[in-house]
Amino acid sequence: MPVISVPLEFNEEDLYVNLWPTFGHMLFLKCEGFNFAGSIKLKAALGMVDAAEQDGRLRPGSVLVESSSGNLGVALSMIAANRGYGFVCVTDSRCNLSTRRLMTALGGEVHVVTEPDPERGLLGARIDYVRALCAADDRYVWLDQYTNPANWGSHYRTTAPAIARQFPDLDVLFVGAGTTGTLMGCARWFKEWRPPVRIVAVDSVGSVIFGGPPGRRMIPGLGTSVRPPLLDESYVDEVVRVAEPDTVRACHRLARNGFLFGGSTGTVVSGALTWLDRNADSGVTAVAIAPDLGERYLDTLYHLAWVQDIYGEEVLGYREPAARSRSA
């Protein structure tokens, strides 16, 4: 049994769920939500804070500030509380209420942006708000998850090697795309050390990460309204886009089998199943990264009235997920 003195010392790295009994595909789900921040974002948050401390940007009295749809904000709230910094999260109305409350409970301050930028959407408006805060007070330190190489570097050092150790014969890895920190860190590592592994990015319909028109997205986490500066498509073999109703169906099907995962995980699982339906030969070894757990979605994804109001009464028919794929 591990004994820890600070919350950052615990992060379960080697827990996988075999989804064969649930979906009939040999797909292994790497569970990244079993830490005190509750998501994979703890890795990026810790990597960026450590880098800022090492280069002298963070000092006693500093206030961390970041734009986040939720999970990174929780991770930074926890780190700030543990290391004695202030923290301000700039989010928008899609951020779950429970997530906002978590950040506040950990001592963070939450600003909710409600008016989107005409061209860059809510994300652009959030970033503008962060820049204004930093310009007004030099105590504020913006880690900028969207451009910070320590974001993808944390997954290059930890997530990808951990998967490779557990699955030396890996054929395909499915990774959700948001800031693309997880995607780029894993893709860079595998292209360098295990080039035969196929990297499949999973994005939300309505996101502009890989091109295409922007659209309404109600589930926070994956997808953005601004193309991520970290993205280098040369490392990605294929892209699968998942519509939000299919995310909802995947989450509920997992829950019916006892696994309560978050929206980002539902999107990745739905995209992976679609790809496997179309491409997998018998014996393929496939892993998908599950970024989050489901407790923060009880008032949205797992609330029947919310789901039916947003997506219609027929959405929970548990039909097979449908997604569109293309070569990157």
Side-chain angles (χ1 to χ4, degrees):
M1 293 287 291
V3 177
I4 67 173
S5 56
V6 297
L8 308 179
E9 292 176 347
F10 178 77
N11 189 18
E12 175 56 58
E13 187 70 81
D14 296 317
L15 178 62
Y16 294 81
V17 174
N18 183 351
L19 293 183
W20 173 263
T22 303
F23 293 105
H25 279 291
M26 193 61 72
L27 174 65
F28 297 95
L29 195 59
K30 187 180 192 306
C31 302
E32 290 280 357
F34 291 97
N35 56 58
F36 281 91
S39 81
I40 197 171
K41 289 294 188 177
L42 178 60
K43 292 177 175 177
L46 187 57
M48 291 189 294
V49 170
D50 284 346
E53 288 179 338
Q54 290 166 11
D55 67 19
R57 293 177 62 212
L58 277 176
R59 302 177 299 276
S62 290
V63 178
L64 292 166
V65 59
E66 187 57 80
S67 161
S68 170
S69 61
N71 284 334
L72 181 71
V74 173
L76 287 172
S77 295
M78 187 183 77
I79 295 171
N82 181 252
R83 297 192 178 180
Y85 301 118
F87 175 63
V88 177
C89 180
V90 180
T91 188
D92 59 58
S93 54
R94 292 172 300 182
C95 179
N96 297 324
L97 179 60
S98 60
T99 301
R100 292 182 235 165
R101 288 174 172 170
L102 268 172
M103 289 187 274
T104 302
L106 289 164
E109 182 180 344
V110 181
H111 289 277
V112 181
V113 173
T114 58
E115 292 297 325
D117 179 88
E119 295 183 356
R120 298 175 298 138
L122 285 167
L123 176 56
R126 280 164 33 188
I127 291 173
D128 289 344
Y129 193 100
V130 169
R131 287 178 172 147
L133 284 178
C134 294
D137 192 332
D138 61 8
R139 293 178 304 146
Y140 288 111
V141 177
W142 182 23
L143 298 174
D144 192 2
Q145 62 167 324
Y146 309 104
T147 65
N148 194 326
N151 183 346
W152 67 261
S154 62
H155 299 288
Y156 182 94
R157 294 190 306 273
T158 62
T159 310
I163 294 170
R165 287 193 302 269
Q166 190 75 22
F167 295 92
D169 298 321
L170 181 66
D171 295 303
V172 57
L173 177 64
F174 300 96
V175 190
T179 66
T180 68
T182 307
L183 174 63
M184 285 294 95
C186 291
R188 287 173 183 270
W189 192 93
F190 277 102
K191 291 304 179 187
E192 181 175 350
W193 299 103
R194 301 278 181 85
V197 173
R198 190 164 186 82
I199 303 297
V200 178
V202 182
D203 194 13
S204 300
V205 170
S207 166
V208 304
I209 293 176
F210 296 97
R216 185 186 74 160
R217 292 177 295 109
M218 299 301 295
I219 301 172
L222 300 187
T224 72
S225 56
V226 178
R227 182 179 170 86
L230 293 178
L231 176 64
D232 184 341
E233 290 192 59
S234 68
Y235 289 96
V236 178
D237 296 300
E238 193 169 348
V239 177
V240 177
R241 291 184 174 90
V242 176
E244 285 192 342
D246 293 326
T247 293
V248 174
R249 282 187 277 267
C251 285
H252 280 257
R253 190 163 174 184
L254 284 162
R256 288 169 69 195
N257 285 271
F259 295 109
L260 195 70
F261 285 105
S264 296
T265 297
T267 301
V268 173
V269 168
S270 180
L273 293 173
T274 296
W275 191 94
L276 290 170
D277 278 338
R278 296 176 179 176
N279 297 279
D281 298 322
S282 59
V284 68
T285 300
V287 170
I289 296 177
D292 55 356
L293 300 179
E295 290 88 346
R296 296 172 193 172
Y297 295 84
L298 295 179
D299 293 328
T300 53
L301 275 175
Y302 295 105
H303 192 286
L304 183 60
W306 185 91
V307 170
Q308 291 182 340
D309 182 58
I310 299 296
Y311 304 107
E313 293 185 357
E314 299 80 18
V315 68
L316 292 179
Y318 299 105
R319 62 183 174 82
E320 292 301 317
R324 298 183 292 276
S325 65
R326 69 167 175 84
S327 296

